[in-house]
Amino acid sequence: MKAALIDHFTTPPTWQDYPEPQPQEDEVLIDVRAAALSQLVRARASGQHYSVRSLPLPQIAGVDGVGTLPDGRPAYFVLARAPYGTMAERAPVRIDHTVALPEGLDPVLAAGLANPGMSSWAALAERARVKPGETVLVNGATGTSGQLAVKVARHMGAARVIATGRNQAVLDSLGADATIGLNASAEDLALRFASCLSEGVDVVLDYLWGPSALALLSTAARLAPHGREMRFVQIGTMAAAEIALPGAVLRSNSISLMGSGFGSVSLPRLLHTIGALFKAAAQEGWTIPLDTLAMEEVHQAWQRPGSDRIVLVR
């Protein structure tokens, strides 16, 4: 069969011949139809993601995808047995690593939705355990994941949603109850956060880390209503990998700081959240902008910007 083969960590995968997989007793052979070229896929293929313990080469690229089961049913699947990946004609996958697609959900859209949509669904449902009527702030809402996070928070019953980001035009299009532009100095940023935090924020979904996260946490420590817990869920590090957080910030108010991702949420629970996400997407008619390329063009796709929007299809 053909597959997107990783020969070296420093170069993009190439479409090559690879031995046909033979499913083991607890596996099914998926006929792959689509796989997203996400930041997670890139990071794992380069050996840099924290979820990679060892990655012997050569290896087939891809973490998740959508295809058909042997009985013809469409399904999402994740983590093919190494060295196989999801960017191939076929993939051997444990049956409990698959999720049926609801009727009416386009398979290519499902492949593109899974990773960015799961990030907020898992953070809200599994980590923050958001309740209807609460206030949710999405820090970094202008990317694909952040835009979906606003929709997911609404779907889960958030009474008020606050969105932050640098692209004001995108912020204005989200339908959030309030927006905060991040193009500001640290001092101005703290002032911008002050008004919303003084009214109380129950959950923060943070896709950025860096200066905006530090400003949020520091301002919350000073201004959040006494006794009202704020659950701060760290999801991504698009702005910075580290911050210098004074211990007093966490001691001076009721702030719960946690992460959400592989490791902090078990794989069975992540698959459960993806199933729930797909049902909501089908019901609500959610879409995201996607660029589709043929899977054999993986080498060229790897070098294109906007990888969180690229889905490779067969």
Side-chain angles (χ1 to χ4, degrees):
M1 71 168 185
K2 294 285 189 180
L5 207 62
I6 305 166
D7 288 313
H8 306 283
F9 290 141
T10 56
T11 58
T14 54
W15 195 245
Q16 303 180 40
D17 290 313
Y18 198 77
E20 190 79 25
Q22 299 299 320
Q24 297 178 352
E25 185 177 353
D26 60 347
E27 295 176 338
V28 291
L29 194 60
I30 300 282
D31 186 12
V32 182
R33 295 303 183 197
L37 178 51
S38 63
Q39 292 295 338
L40 173 61
V41 169
R42 285 180 178 274
R44 284 174 61 92
S46 67
Q48 297 176 355
H49 194 263
Y50 69 84
S51 66
V52 178
R53 298 292 179 260
S54 62
L55 190 64
L57 299 179
Q59 182 117 171
I60 296 174
V63 174
D64 61 353
V66 171
T68 53
L69 297 168
D71 61 8
R73 289 179 297 145
Y76 168 85
F77 65 100
V78 64
L79 297 179
R81 169 172 43 89
Y84 296 96
T86 63
M87 294 179 175
E89 292 181 319
R90 284 165 291 282
V93 181
R94 284 176 46 166
I95 188 63
D96 59 353
H97 288 185
T98 67
V99 177
L101 295 192
E103 186 175 351
L105 184 62
D106 177 73
V108 175
L109 176 61
L113 273 174
N115 190 268
M118 174 270 294
S119 70
S120 57
W121 199 290
L124 287 168
E126 300 292 327
R127 301 296 284 153
R129 301 195 180 277
V130 68
K131 303 176 184 67
E134 291 191 315
T135 295
V136 175
L137 187 151
V138 181
N139 190 36
T142 56
T144 302
S145 297
Q147 292 181 52
L148 278 170
V150 173
K151 293 183 172 68
V152 170
R154 287 281 194 219
H155 180 81
M156 290 188 176
R160 188 165 185 253
V161 179
I162 303 163
T164 82
R166 293 184 178 276
N167 189 325
Q168 191 62 47
V170 175
L171 284 177
D172 292 341
S173 72
L174 296 178
D177 298 291
T179 64
I180 299 172
L182 298 181
N183 297 305
S185 65
E187 183 178 349
D188 288 342
L189 202 53
L191 291 174
R192 293 181 185 186
F193 284 135
S195 61
C196 69
L197 290 172
S198 63
E199 297 175 19
V201 170
D202 300 291
V203 177
V204 173
L205 302 184
D206 174 53
Y207 287 94
L208 301 179
W209 210 223
S212 62
L214 181 58
L216 254 171
L217 288 163
S218 300
T219 307
R222 290 189 294 107
L223 297 177
H226 183 69
R228 180 171 176 172
E229 181 190 23
M230 185 177 82
R231 288 103 75 200
F232 189 104
V233 190
Q234 213 297 299
I235 304 171
T237 53
M238 295 301 293
E242 299 177 354
I243 62 173
L245 181 64
V249 168
L250 299 180
R251 295 196 304 270
S252 61
N253 216 298
S254 183
I255 299 173
S256 294
L257 183 60
M258 66 193 83
S260 183
F262 282 112
S264 58
V265 181
S266 69
L267 181 58
R269 295 309 302 170
L270 286 176
L271 289 169
H272 176 80
T273 67
I274 289 171
L277 167 73
F278 286 162
K279 290 179 183 177
Q283 293 168 1
E284 303 278 3
W286 291 342
T287 61
I288 57 175
L290 293 174
D291 295 328
T292 57
L293 283 83
M295 203 167 284
E296 56 264 32
E297 297 180 274
V298 60
H299 188 85
Q300 300 93 309
W302 214 268
Q303 301 172 76
R304 287 180 54 171
S307 64
D308 63 342
R309 299 193 305 270
I310 296 175
V311 176
L312 302 179
V313 299
R314 289 187 55 243

